Amino acid sequence: MTVRFGNNRLGFYIFIFILAGTVLGLAANLANLFLPNFHKDFTIFALIVPSLTIFIFLLTIQWATPRSEVMQIFLLGILWLTMASWATDVIGPLQCDSLRGQTTPSKNGTTSFQAFCYEMKVIQAFSWCIFILLVFAFFVLLQLTQQAEMYGRYKIWSEPIRELPWFGEMPGYYNTNTQGMPGQHMMQYPGTPGGYGYPHQGGYPVPNPGHSIIIQPGMNGAPPTITQVPMSQV
């Protein structure tokens, strides 16, 4: 993957880890206070969602495709939206600072209602935050995948996600900017029989036997993309 995309994706994963880990810790404390007698359904759900998020992200941080990543983000987005809405329904518009000295039933008798309120407010806020971040990541991933397709990577949905570029970069190469710098020589990548093409400068390559050359105009002043494909696919 390009360095910028890899770093941004890793930063996104780490931030989600931190938020989900915080929610998981608070949910575990609620489980210790209330299960199995009070707030049973919400507490169990609050344990499952962040645990599933951390588990899926650990599995896909190295091995994923754009298709699997989009599906994963969509599924987790639904779960975190449900979590945020449920937390909002449980705690409502309560002002926690006005609950000093009040108690609420727990499995061991009573516990501070104000502390419970604060924990629920944090779960609510972090759940909404994670949902918004997942929505943002969903659309960014779609745009980057479409950008890679415009460069001839028509199978990018099923390829390793490390092949995705960042905005303004070509897929599959480190820091290869499509804009180019004045006086800077751009690397040349001739077309390949696999159907992937990259910007090319200078003379056009001679096609391999049984292949044709497809020339696509470059974007934003970039050089044209030259692709060799078998004659049977033309």
Side-chain angles (χ1 to χ4, degrees):
M1 65 181 75
T2 59
V3 173
R4 291 174 61 192
F5 174 73
N7 291 341
N8 291 336
R9 181 172 180 261
L10 180 61
F12 169 75
Y13 268 50
I14 292 175
F15 192 56
I16 295 294
F17 279 149
I18 294 173
L19 296 181
T22 303
V23 173
L24 180 60
L26 293 174
N29 184 57
L30 294 181
N32 181 58
L33 291 174
F34 298 111
L35 288 184
N37 301 321
F38 304 98
H39 307 290
K40 178 180 178 181
D41 295 337
F42 174 79
T43 303
I44 293 176
F45 189 75
L47 289 171
I48 292 175
V49 174
S51 300
L52 183 63
T53 301
I54 294 173
F55 176 72
I56 291 178
F57 273 27
L58 286 174
L59 286 180
T60 60
I61 193 170
Q62 290 292 339
W63 298 280
T65 64
R67 179 180 289 112
S68 66
E69 189 105 333
V70 164
M71 295 174 60
Q72 145 194 329
I73 291 176
F74 181 78
L75 173 63
L76 292 177
I78 293 176
L79 292 176
W80 282 105
L81 174 61
T82 305
M83 177 85 161
S85 302
W86 199 345
T88 302
D89 181 66
V90 169
I91 199 61
L94 287 177
Q95 296 294 325
C96 299
D97 54 358
S98 64
L99 302 176
R100 183 182 301 274
Q102 298 187 35
T103 60
T104 185
S106 67
K107 70 176 183 180
N108 296 322
T110 60
T111 188
S112 171
F113 194 15
Q114 187 181 47
F116 169 72
C117 178
Y118 281 135
E119 292 185 14
M120 285 299 303
K121 290 290 186 180
V122 173
I123 291 176
Q124 176 190 20
F126 280 23
S127 297
W128 281 116
C129 182
I130 292 175
F131 168 70
I132 293 172
L133 289 174
L134 290 173
V135 171
F136 179 76
F138 180 83
F139 286 105
V140 168
L141 187 58
L142 288 180
Q143 287 185 316
L144 294 180
T145 306
Q146 291 173 357
Q147 175 180 295
E149 288 181 321
M150 294 177 65
Y151 278 96
R153 303 297 292 267
Y154 304 116
K155 300 179 181 178
I156 192 65
W157 284 102
S158 58
E159 294 186 17
I161 199 169
R162 63 177 178 269
E163 297 294 322
L164 278 182
W166 191 244
F167 294 103
E169 296 177 343
M170 294 184 299
Y173 290 91
Y174 287 90
N175 290 341
T176 310
N177 194 291
T178 60
Q179 304 296 329
M181 297 294 291
Q184 182 180 12
H185 178 70
M186 180 176 290
M187 297 181 65
Q188 299 182 11
Y189 300 98
T192 61
Y196 295 151
Y198 301 94
H200 177 78
Q201 289 183 338
Y204 295 150
V206 177
N208 295 327
H211 290 74
S212 295
I213 291 179
I214 297 178
I215 302 176
Q216 297 174 313
M219 296 177 56
N220 301 322
T225 299
I226 303 173
T227 307
Q228 290 194 47
V229 297
M231 291 290 294
S232 59
Q233 298 182 10
V234 178

